[in-house]
PDB file of all heavy atoms in Angstrom:
ATOM      1  N   LEU A  26     -16.249  18.643  -5.432  1.00 97.00           N
ATOM      2  CA  LEU A  26     -15.144  19.168  -4.629  1.00 97.00           C
ATOM      3  C   LEU A  26     -15.351  18.877  -3.149  1.00 97.00           C
ATOM      4  O   LEU A  26     -14.456  18.327  -2.483  1.00 97.00           O
ATOM      5  CB  LEU A  26     -15.013  20.677  -4.856  1.00 97.00           C
ATOM      6  CG  LEU A  26     -13.943  21.390  -4.023  1.00 97.00           C
ATOM      7  CD1 LEU A  26     -12.557  20.857  -4.348  1.00 97.00           C
ATOM      8  CD2 LEU A  26     -14.016  22.902  -4.237  1.00 97.00           C
ATOM      9  N   ALA A  27     -16.515  19.248  -2.635  1.00 97.00           N
ATOM     10  CA  ALA A  27     -16.778  19.041  -1.214  1.00 97.00           C
ATOM     11  C   ALA A  27     -16.793  17.564  -0.859  1.00 97.00           C
ATOM     12  O   ALA A  27     -16.237  17.144   0.171  1.00 97.00           O
ATOM     13  CB  ALA A  27     -18.113  19.694  -0.838  1.00 97.00           C
ATOM     14  N   TYR A  28     -17.410  16.767  -1.697  1.00 98.00           N
ATOM     15  CA  TYR A  28     -17.488  15.320  -1.458  1.00 98.00           C
ATOM     16  C   TYR A  28     -16.085  14.719  -1.425  1.00 98.00           C
ATOM     17  O   TYR A  28     -15.771  13.896  -0.550  1.00 98.00           O
ATOM     18  CB  TYR A  28     -18.314  14.668  -2.573  1.00 98.00           C
ATOM     19  CG  TYR A  28     -18.910  13.327  -2.237  1.00 98.00           C
ATOM     20  CD1 TYR A  28     -20.271  13.181  -2.038  1.00 98.00           C
ATOM     21  CD2 TYR A  28     -18.110  12.191  -2.152  1.00 98.00           C
ATOM     22  CE1 TYR A  28     -20.833  11.944  -1.760  1.00 98.00           C
ATOM     23  CE2 TYR A  28     -18.651  10.952  -1.874  1.00 98.00           C
ATOM     24  CZ  TYR A  28     -20.024  10.826  -1.671  1.00 98.00           C
ATOM     25  OH  TYR A  28     -20.560   9.608  -1.388  1.00 98.00           O
ATOM     26  N   GLY A  29     -15.238  15.125  -2.369  1.00 98.00           N
ATOM     27  CA  GLY A  29     -13.874  14.601  -2.398  1.00 98.00           C
ATOM     28  C   GLY A  29     -13.063  15.011  -1.190  1.00 98.00           C
ATOM     29  O   GLY A  29     -12.312  14.205  -0.623  1.00 98.00           O
ATOM     30  N   LEU A  30     -13.187  16.269  -0.779  1.00 98.00           N
ATOM     31  CA  LEU A  30     -12.441  16.739   0.391  1.00 98.00           C
ATOM     32  C   LEU A  30     -12.892  16.019   1.658  1.00 98.00           C
ATOM     33  O   LEU A  30     -12.066  15.665   2.512  1.00 98.00           O
ATOM     34  CB  LEU A  30     -12.610  18.253   0.548  1.00 98.00           C
ATOM     35  CG  LEU A  30     -11.962  19.114  -0.546  1.00 98.00           C
ATOM     36  CD1 LEU A  30     -12.292  20.582  -0.327  1.00 98.00           C
ATOM     37  CD2 LEU A  30     -10.449  18.902  -0.568  1.00 98.00           C
ATOM     38  N   LEU A  31     -14.195  15.798   1.798  1.00 98.00           N
ATOM     39  CA  LEU A  31     -14.697  15.063   2.962  1.00 98.00           C
ATOM     40  C   LEU A  31     -14.247  13.604   2.929  1.00 98.00           C
ATOM     41  O   LEU A  31     -13.917  13.016   3.975  1.00 98.00           O
ATOM     42  CB  LEU A  31     -16.219  15.147   3.009  1.00 98.00           C
ATOM     43  CG  LEU A  31     -16.800  16.523   3.370  1.00 98.00           C
ATOM     44  CD1 LEU A  31     -18.304  16.557   3.129  1.00 98.00           C
ATOM     45  CD2 LEU A  31     -16.488  16.853   4.834  1.00 98.00           C
ATOM     46  N   THR A  32     -14.211  13.009   1.733  1.00 98.00           N
ATOM     47  CA  THR A  32     -13.708  11.646   1.604  1.00 98.00           C
ATOM     48  C   THR A  32     -12.228  11.580   1.990  1.00 98.00           C
ATOM     49  O   THR A  32     -11.789  10.659   2.699  1.00 98.00           O
ATOM     50  CB  THR A  32     -13.893  11.117   0.180  1.00 98.00           C
ATOM     51  OG1 THR A  32     -15.276  11.161  -0.176  1.00 98.00           O
ATOM     52  CG2 THR A  32     -13.396   9.687   0.044  1.00 98.00           C
ATOM     53  N   ALA A  33     -11.450  12.567   1.529  1.00 97.00           N
ATOM     54  CA  ALA A  33     -10.026  12.619   1.886  1.00 97.00           C
ATOM     55  C   ALA A  33      -9.846  12.778   3.379  1.00 97.00           C
ATOM     56  O   ALA A  33      -8.929  12.179   3.972  1.00 97.00           O
ATOM     57  CB  ALA A  33      -9.357  13.764   1.137  1.00 97.00           C
ATOM     58  N   ALA A  34     -10.713  13.574   4.019  1.00 97.00           N
ATOM     59  CA  ALA A  34     -10.632  13.744   5.469  1.00 97.00           C
ATOM     60  C   ALA A  34     -10.921  12.426   6.185  1.00 97.00           C
ATOM     61  O   ALA A  34     -10.257  12.083   7.178  1.00 97.00           O
ATOM     62  CB  ALA A  34     -11.613  14.823   5.918  1.00 97.00           C
ATOM     63  N   CYS A  35     -11.899  11.673   5.683  1.00 97.00           N
ATOM     64  CA  CYS A  35     -12.200  10.359   6.270  1.00 97.00           C
ATOM     65  C   CYS A  35     -11.032   9.394   6.082  1.00 97.00           C
ATOM     66  O   CYS A  35     -10.728   8.589   6.981  1.00 97.00           O
ATOM     67  CB  CYS A  35     -13.475   9.788   5.645  1.00 97.00           C
ATOM     68  SG  CYS A  35     -14.986  10.660   6.089  1.00 97.00           S
ATOM     69  N   LEU A  36     -10.378   9.455   4.931  1.00 96.00           N
ATOM     70  CA  LEU A  36      -9.207   8.604   4.695  1.00 96.00           C
ATOM     71  C   LEU A  36      -8.060   8.986   5.619  1.00 96.00           C
ATOM     72  O   LEU A  36      -7.324   8.109   6.100  1.00 96.00           O
ATOM     73  CB  LEU A  36      -8.779   8.724   3.231  1.00 96.00           C
ATOM     74  CG  LEU A  36      -9.686   8.041   2.204  1.00 96.00           C
ATOM     75  CD1 LEU A  36      -9.247   8.407   0.786  1.00 96.00           C
ATOM     76  CD2 LEU A  36      -9.668   6.529   2.393  1.00 96.00           C
ATOM     77  N   ALA A  37      -7.889  10.289   5.872  1.00 95.00           N
ATOM     78  CA  ALA A  37      -6.856  10.723   6.806  1.00 95.00           C
ATOM     79  C   ALA A  37      -7.145  10.204   8.211  1.00 95.00           C
ATOM     80  O   ALA A  37      -6.225   9.776   8.937  1.00 95.00           O
ATOM     81  CB  ALA A  37      -6.768  12.251   6.811  1.00 95.00           C
ATOM     82  N   TYR A  38      -8.417  10.214   8.586  1.00 95.00           N
ATOM     83  CA  TYR A  38      -8.810   9.658   9.882  1.00 95.00           C
ATOM     84  C   TYR A  38      -8.506   8.169   9.944  1.00 95.00           C
ATOM     85  O   TYR A  38      -7.983   7.661  10.954  1.00 95.00           O
ATOM     86  CB  TYR A  38     -10.302   9.912  10.106  1.00 95.00           C
ATOM     87  CG  TYR A  38     -10.872   9.211  11.314  1.00 95.00           C
ATOM     88  CD1 TYR A  38     -10.684   9.715  12.590  1.00 95.00           C
ATOM     89  CD2 TYR A  38     -11.614   8.032  11.168  1.00 95.00           C
ATOM     90  CE1 TYR A  38     -11.207   9.067  13.705  1.00 95.00           C
ATOM     91  CE2 TYR A  38     -12.149   7.382  12.261  1.00 95.00           C
ATOM     92  CZ  TYR A  38     -11.941   7.898  13.532  1.00 95.00           C
ATOM     93  OH  TYR A  38     -12.457   7.252  14.629  1.00 95.00           O
ATOM     94  N   ALA A  39      -8.832   7.465   8.849  1.00 94.00           N
ATOM     95  CA  ALA A  39      -8.555   6.026   8.802  1.00 94.00           C
ATOM     96  C   ALA A  39      -7.065   5.745   8.923  1.00 94.00           C
ATOM     97  O   ALA A  39      -6.653   4.779   9.591  1.00 94.00           O
ATOM     98  CB  ALA A  39      -9.101   5.437   7.494  1.00 94.00           C
ATOM     99  N   ARG A  40      -6.251   6.576   8.317  1.00 93.00           N
ATOM    100  CA  ARG A  40      -4.799   6.369   8.400  1.00 93.00           C
ATOM    101  C   ARG A  40      -4.295   6.615   9.814  1.00 93.00           C
ATOM    102  O   ARG A  40      -3.429   5.876  10.318  1.00 93.00           O
ATOM    103  CB  ARG A  40      -4.094   7.280   7.400  1.00 93.00           C
ATOM    104  CG  ARG A  40      -2.590   7.035   7.337  1.00 93.00           C
ATOM    105  CD  ARG A  40      -1.978   7.736   6.165  1.00 93.00           C
ATOM    106  NE  ARG A  40      -0.545   7.451   6.076  1.00 93.00           N
ATOM    107  CZ  ARG A  40       0.241   7.890   5.113  1.00 93.00           C
ATOM    108  NH1 ARG A  40      -0.263   8.639   4.134  1.00 93.00           N
ATOM    109  NH2 ARG A  40       1.524   7.592   5.111  1.00 93.00           N
ATOM    110  N   ARG A  41      -4.816   7.645  10.479  1.00 92.00           N
ATOM    111  CA  ARG A  41      -4.397   7.919  11.861  1.00 92.00           C
ATOM    112  C   ARG A  41      -4.782   6.767  12.790  1.00 92.00           C
ATOM    113  O   ARG A  41      -4.083   6.483  13.764  1.00 92.00           O
ATOM    114  CB  ARG A  41      -5.025   9.219  12.344  1.00 92.00           C
ATOM    115  CG  ARG A  41      -4.392  10.478  11.746  1.00 92.00           C
ATOM    116  CD  ARG A  41      -4.762  11.713  12.538  1.00 92.00           C
ATOM    117  NE  ARG A  41      -6.191  11.933  12.588  1.00 92.00           N
ATOM    118  CZ  ARG A  41      -6.867  12.642  11.693  1.00 92.00           C
ATOM    119  NH1 ARG A  41      -6.220  13.198  10.673  1.00 92.00           N
ATOM    120  NH2 ARG A  41      -8.167  12.798  11.816  1.00 92.00           N
ATOM    121  N   ARG A  42      -5.896   6.125  12.470  1.00 91.00           N
ATOM    122  CA  ARG A  42      -6.330   4.981  13.294  1.00 91.00           C
ATOM    123  C   ARG A  42      -5.565   3.714  12.952  1.00 91.00           C
ATOM    124  O   ARG A  42      -5.778   2.675  13.594  1.00 91.00           O
ATOM    125  CB  ARG A  42      -7.826   4.747  13.089  1.00 91.00           C
ATOM    126  CG  ARG A  42      -8.736   5.857  13.602  1.00 91.00           C
ATOM    127  CD  ARG A  42      -8.700   5.951  15.136  1.00 91.00           C
ATOM    128  NE  ARG A  42      -9.115   4.721  15.767  1.00 91.00           N
ATOM    129  CZ  ARG A  42     -10.368   4.433  16.114  1.00 91.00           C
ATOM    130  NH1 ARG A  42     -11.323   5.329  15.862  1.00 91.00           N
ATOM    131  NH2 ARG A  42     -10.676   3.308  16.687  1.00 91.00           N
ATOM    132  N   GLY A  43      -4.716   3.788  11.949  1.00 90.00           N
ATOM    133  CA  GLY A  43      -3.945   2.617  11.569  1.00 90.00           C
ATOM    134  C   GLY A  43      -4.687   1.636  10.695  1.00 90.00           C
ATOM    135  O   GLY A  43      -4.265   0.481  10.550  1.00 90.00           O
ATOM    136  N   TRP A  44      -5.802   2.089  10.084  1.00 89.00           N
ATOM    137  CA  TRP A  44      -6.586   1.200   9.234  1.00 89.00           C
ATOM    138  C   TRP A  44      -5.953   1.019   7.860  1.00 89.00           C
ATOM    139  O   TRP A  44      -6.265   0.063   7.160  1.00 89.00           O
ATOM    140  CB  TRP A  44      -8.006   1.750   9.055  1.00 89.00           C
ATOM    141  CG  TRP A  44      -8.782   1.819  10.343  1.00 89.00           C
ATOM    142  CD1 TRP A  44      -8.439   1.285  11.541  1.00 89.00           C
ATOM    143  CD2 TRP A  44     -10.041   2.481  10.534  1.00 89.00           C
ATOM    144  NE1 TRP A  44      -9.394   1.562  12.489  1.00 89.00           N
ATOM    145  CE2 TRP A  44     -10.395   2.292  11.894  1.00 89.00           C
ATOM    146  CE3 TRP A  44     -10.893   3.204   9.705  1.00 89.00           C
ATOM    147  CZ2 TRP A  44     -11.573   2.803  12.434  1.00 89.00           C
ATOM    148  CZ3 TRP A  44     -12.065   3.713  10.230  1.00 89.00           C
ATOM    149  CH2 TRP A  44     -12.398   3.517  11.588  1.00 89.00           C
ATOM    150  N   THR A  45      -5.119   1.954   7.468  1.00 87.00           N
ATOM    151  CA  THR A  45      -4.441   1.867   6.171  1.00 87.00           C
ATOM    152  C   THR A  45      -2.948   2.054   6.360  1.00 87.00           C
ATOM    153  O   THR A  45      -2.496   2.615   7.364  1.00 87.00           O
ATOM    154  CB  THR A  45      -4.957   2.933   5.189  1.00 87.00           C
ATOM    155  OG1 THR A  45      -4.591   4.235   5.683  1.00 87.00           O
ATOM    156  CG2 THR A  45      -6.467   2.860   5.036  1.00 87.00           C
ATOM    157  N   ARG A  46      -2.207   1.609   5.373  1.00 80.00           N
ATOM    158  CA  ARG A  46      -0.761   1.762   5.406  1.00 80.00           C
ATOM    159  C   ARG A  46      -0.280   2.373   4.095  1.00 80.00           C
ATOM    160  O   ARG A  46      -0.913   2.173   3.064  1.00 80.00           O
ATOM    161  CB  ARG A  46      -0.076   0.405   5.616  1.00 80.00           C
ATOM    162  CG  ARG A  46      -0.415  -0.243   6.962  1.00 80.00           C
ATOM    163  CD  ARG A  46       0.287  -1.586   7.086  1.00 80.00           C
ATOM    164  NE  ARG A  46      -0.043  -2.242   8.350  1.00 80.00           N
ATOM    165  CZ  ARG A  46       0.431  -3.429   8.704  1.00 80.00           C
ATOM    166  NH1 ARG A  46       1.221  -4.113   7.864  1.00 80.00           N
ATOM    167  NH2 ARG A  46       0.091  -3.944   9.863  1.00 80.00           N
ATOM    168  N   PRO A  47       0.836   3.111   4.168  1.00 81.00           N
ATOM    169  CA  PRO A  47       1.369   3.695   2.923  1.00 81.00           C
ATOM    170  C   PRO A  47       1.710   2.595   1.918  1.00 81.00           C
ATOM    171  O   PRO A  47       2.266   1.555   2.275  1.00 81.00           O
ATOM    172  CB  PRO A  47       2.625   4.439   3.383  1.00 81.00           C
ATOM    173  CG  PRO A  47       2.419   4.666   4.847  1.00 81.00           C
ATOM    174  CD  PRO A  47       1.641   3.491   5.345  1.00 81.00           C
ATOM    175  N   GLY A  48       1.371   2.824   0.668  1.00 83.00           N
ATOM    176  CA  GLY A  48       1.669   1.852  -0.372  1.00 83.00           C
ATOM    177  C   GLY A  48       3.061   2.050  -0.922  1.00 83.00           C
ATOM    178  O   GLY A  48       3.772   3.002  -0.555  1.00 83.00           O
ATOM    179  N   PRO A  49       3.485   1.181  -1.797  1.00 90.00           N
ATOM    180  CA  PRO A  49       4.807   1.324  -2.422  1.00 90.00           C
ATOM    181  C   PRO A  49       4.852   2.561  -3.314  1.00 90.00           C
ATOM    182  O   PRO A  49       3.828   3.019  -3.828  1.00 90.00           O
ATOM    183  CB  PRO A  49       4.940   0.032  -3.240  1.00 90.00           C
ATOM    184  CG  PRO A  49       3.535  -0.391  -3.522  1.00 90.00           C
ATOM    185  CD  PRO A  49       2.747  -0.001  -2.314  1.00 90.00           C
ATOM    186  N   ARG A  50       6.035   3.100  -3.474  1.00 93.00           N
ATOM    187  CA  ARG A  50       6.194   4.279  -4.321  1.00 93.00           C
ATOM    188  C   ARG A  50       5.965   3.897  -5.786  1.00 93.00           C
ATOM    189  O   ARG A  50       6.420   2.854  -6.267  1.00 93.00           O
ATOM    190  CB  ARG A  50       7.587   4.871  -4.144  1.00 93.00           C
ATOM    191  CG  ARG A  50       7.851   5.360  -2.732  1.00 93.00           C
ATOM    192  CD  ARG A  50       9.228   5.989  -2.620  1.00 93.00           C
ATOM    193  NE  ARG A  50       9.310   7.194  -3.445  1.00 93.00           N
ATOM    194  CZ  ARG A  50      10.410   7.945  -3.528  1.00 93.00           C
ATOM    195  NH1 ARG A  50      11.511   7.600  -2.853  1.00 93.00           N
ATOM    196  NH2 ARG A  50      10.416   9.017  -4.282  1.00 93.00           N
ATOM    197  N   PRO A  51       5.270   4.751  -6.525  1.00 93.00           N
ATOM    198  CA  PRO A  51       4.975   4.417  -7.932  1.00 93.00           C
ATOM    199  C   PRO A  51       6.182   4.646  -8.834  1.00 93.00           C
ATOM    200  O   PRO A  51       7.131   5.353  -8.475  1.00 93.00           O
ATOM    201  CB  PRO A  51       3.860   5.392  -8.275  1.00 93.00           C
ATOM    202  CG  PRO A  51       4.134   6.581  -7.409  1.00 93.00           C
ATOM    203  CD  PRO A  51       4.671   6.023  -6.109  1.00 93.00           C
ATOM    204  N   PHE A  52       6.121   4.051 -10.006  1.00 95.00           N
ATOM    205  CA  PHE A  52       7.079   4.357 -11.060  1.00 95.00           C
ATOM    206  C   PHE A  52       6.527   5.600 -11.780  1.00 95.00           C
ATOM    207  O   PHE A  52       5.603   5.494 -12.585  1.00 95.00           O
ATOM    208  CB  PHE A  52       7.204   3.182 -12.033  1.00 95.00           C
ATOM    209  CG  PHE A  52       7.509   1.869 -11.360  1.00 95.00           C
ATOM    210  CD1 PHE A  52       6.747   0.732 -11.637  1.00 95.00           C
ATOM    211  CD2 PHE A  52       8.561   1.763 -10.453  1.00 95.00           C
ATOM    212  CE1 PHE A  52       7.027  -0.487 -11.029  1.00 95.00           C
ATOM    213  CE2 PHE A  52       8.851   0.550  -9.844  1.00 95.00           C
ATOM    214  CZ  PHE A  52       8.090  -0.574 -10.122  1.00 95.00           C
ATOM    215  N   ARG A  53       7.057   6.760 -11.478  1.00 95.00           N
ATOM    216  CA  ARG A  53       6.432   8.011 -11.902  1.00 95.00           C
ATOM    217  C   ARG A  53       6.309   8.134 -13.419  1.00 95.00           C
ATOM    218  O   ARG A  53       5.292   8.605 -13.935  1.00 95.00           O
ATOM    219  CB  ARG A  53       7.207   9.195 -11.326  1.00 95.00           C
ATOM    220  CG  ARG A  53       7.116   9.280  -9.797  1.00 95.00           C
ATOM    221  CD  ARG A  53       7.809  10.521  -9.279  1.00 95.00           C
ATOM    222  NE  ARG A  53       7.679  10.608  -7.834  1.00 95.00           N
ATOM    223  CZ  ARG A  53       8.198  11.589  -7.087  1.00 95.00           C
ATOM    224  NH1 ARG A  53       8.880  12.569  -7.690  1.00 95.00           N
ATOM    225  NH2 ARG A  53       8.035  11.589  -5.793  1.00 95.00           N
ATOM    226  N   GLY A  54       7.334   7.750 -14.125  1.00 97.00           N
ATOM    227  CA  GLY A  54       7.273   7.843 -15.581  1.00 97.00           C
ATOM    228  C   GLY A  54       6.181   6.960 -16.147  1.00 97.00           C
ATOM    229  O   GLY A  54       5.411   7.385 -17.026  1.00 97.00           O
ATOM    230  N   ARG A  55       6.099   5.745 -15.656  1.00 97.00           N
ATOM    231  CA  ARG A  55       5.055   4.831 -16.130  1.00 97.00           C
ATOM    232  C   ARG A  55       3.673   5.317 -15.716  1.00 97.00           C
ATOM    233  O   ARG A  55       2.694   5.165 -16.471  1.00 97.00           O
ATOM    234  CB  ARG A  55       5.296   3.433 -15.583  1.00 97.00           C
ATOM    235  CG  ARG A  55       6.575   2.779 -16.080  1.00 97.00           C
ATOM    236  CD  ARG A  55       6.691   1.381 -15.501  1.00 97.00           C
ATOM    237  NE  ARG A  55       7.932   0.722 -15.893  1.00 97.00           N
ATOM    238  CZ  ARG A  55       8.267  -0.506 -15.512  1.00 97.00           C
ATOM    239  NH1 ARG A  55       7.435  -1.196 -14.738  1.00 97.00           N
ATOM    240  NH2 ARG A  55       9.407  -1.034 -15.906  1.00 97.00           N
ATOM    241  N   LEU A  56       3.585   5.887 -14.509  1.00 97.00           N
ATOM    242  CA  LEU A  56       2.311   6.410 -14.034  1.00 97.00           C
ATOM    243  C   LEU A  56       1.816   7.533 -14.945  1.00 97.00           C
ATOM    244  O   LEU A  56       0.640   7.564 -15.331  1.00 97.00           O
ATOM    245  CB  LEU A  56       2.456   6.924 -12.602  1.00 97.00           C
ATOM    246  CG  LEU A  56       1.208   7.539 -11.955  1.00 97.00           C
ATOM    247  CD1 LEU A  56       0.091   6.515 -11.851  1.00 97.00           C
ATOM    248  CD2 LEU A  56       1.542   8.100 -10.572  1.00 97.00           C
ATOM    249  N   ALA A  57       2.696   8.424 -15.319  1.00 98.00           N
ATOM    250  CA  ALA A  57       2.325   9.528 -16.210  1.00 98.00           C
ATOM    251  C   ALA A  57       1.928   9.011 -17.588  1.00 98.00           C
ATOM    252  O   ALA A  57       0.945   9.477 -18.192  1.00 98.00           O
ATOM    253  CB  ALA A  57       3.482  10.509 -16.323  1.00 98.00           C
ATOM    254  N   LEU A  58       2.672   8.025 -18.101  1.00 98.00           N
ATOM    255  CA  LEU A  58       2.383   7.472 -19.419  1.00 98.00           C
ATOM    256  C   LEU A  58       1.035   6.767 -19.428  1.00 98.00           C
ATOM    257  O   LEU A  58       0.225   6.942 -20.358  1.00 98.00           O
ATOM    258  CB  LEU A  58       3.491   6.495 -19.825  1.00 98.00           C
ATOM    259  CG  LEU A  58       3.311   5.787 -21.183  1.00 98.00           C
ATOM    260  CD1 LEU A  58       3.263   6.815 -22.307  1.00 98.00           C
ATOM    261  CD2 LEU A  58       4.441   4.780 -21.409  1.00 98.00           C
ATOM    262  N   ALA A  59       0.770   5.970 -18.405  1.00 98.00           N
ATOM    263  CA  ALA A  59      -0.500   5.246 -18.334  1.00 98.00           C
ATOM    264  C   ALA A  59      -1.676   6.212 -18.224  1.00 98.00           C
ATOM    265  O   ALA A  59      -2.716   6.036 -18.872  1.00 98.00           O
ATOM    266  CB  ALA A  59      -0.493   4.289 -17.151  1.00 98.00           C
ATOM    267  N   THR A  60      -1.506   7.243 -17.407  1.00 98.00           N
ATOM    268  CA  THR A  60      -2.580   8.234 -17.243  1.00 98.00           C
ATOM    269  C   THR A  60      -2.860   8.944 -18.548  1.00 98.00           C
ATOM    270  O   THR A  60      -4.023   9.131 -18.944  1.00 98.00           O
ATOM    271  CB  THR A  60      -2.197   9.256 -16.156  1.00 98.00           C
ATOM    272  OG1 THR A  60      -1.937   8.564 -14.926  1.00 98.00           O
ATOM    273  CG2 THR A  60      -3.317  10.258 -15.946  1.00 98.00           C
ATOM    274  N   ALA A  61      -1.818   9.361 -19.240  1.00 98.00           N
ATOM    275  CA  ALA A  61      -1.987  10.050 -20.517  1.00 98.00           C
ATOM    276  C   ALA A  61      -2.696   9.155 -21.533  1.00 98.00           C
ATOM    277  O   ALA A  61      -3.543   9.619 -22.315  1.00 98.00           O
ATOM    278  CB  ALA A  61      -0.635  10.498 -21.054  1.00 98.00           C
ATOM    279  N   ALA A  62      -2.358   7.862 -21.524  1.00 98.00           N
ATOM    280  CA  ALA A  62      -2.976   6.933 -22.479  1.00 98.00           C
ATOM    281  C   ALA A  62      -4.473   6.776 -22.210  1.00 98.00           C
ATOM    282  O   ALA A  62      -5.285   6.766 -23.145  1.00 98.00           O
ATOM    283  CB  ALA A  62      -2.272   5.579 -22.407  1.00 98.00           C
ATOM    284  N   VAL A  63      -4.857   6.663 -20.938  1.00 97.00           N
ATOM    285  CA  VAL A  63      -6.273   6.495 -20.605  1.00 97.00           C
ATOM    286  C   VAL A  63      -7.049   7.772 -20.917  1.00 97.00           C
ATOM    287  O   VAL A  63      -8.176   7.724 -21.432  1.00 97.00           O
ATOM    288  CB  VAL A  63      -6.446   6.098 -19.127  1.00 97.00           C
ATOM    289  CG1 VAL A  63      -7.927   5.985 -18.771  1.00 97.00           C
ATOM    290  CG2 VAL A  63      -5.753   4.768 -18.857  1.00 97.00           C
ATOM    291  N   VAL A  64      -6.468   8.933 -20.626  1.00 97.00           N
ATOM    292  CA  VAL A  64      -7.116  10.196 -20.961  1.00 97.00           C
ATOM    293  C   VAL A  64      -7.308  10.306 -22.477  1.00 97.00           C
ATOM    294  O   VAL A  64      -8.378  10.694 -22.963  1.00 97.00           O
ATOM    295  CB  VAL A  64      -6.304  11.390 -20.434  1.00 97.00           C
ATOM    296  CG1 VAL A  64      -6.850  12.704 -20.996  1.00 97.00           C
ATOM    297  CG2 VAL A  64      -6.320  11.422 -18.909  1.00 97.00           C
TER     298      VAL A  64
END
């Protein structure tokens, strides 16, 4: 939990610095189906 939250905070910092850009919006139905299949 702590490691993930700190990683997310670092990613937020990277985004504020312009190191990353928002990606395309996912196909939600396909995303849910793919996740369920892998689980």
Side-chain angles (χ1 to χ4, degrees):
L26 177 62
Y28 201 109
L30 292 176
L31 289 169
T32 302
C35 291
L36 287 172
Y38 171 79
R40 185 168 182 177
R41 286 197 301 271
R42 294 293 301 269
W44 297 350
T45 66
R46 297 179 181 180
R50 297 182 65 180
F52 307 130
R53 294 184 178 179
R55 295 181 183 180
L56 179 62
L58 178 61
T60 302
V63 177
V64 170

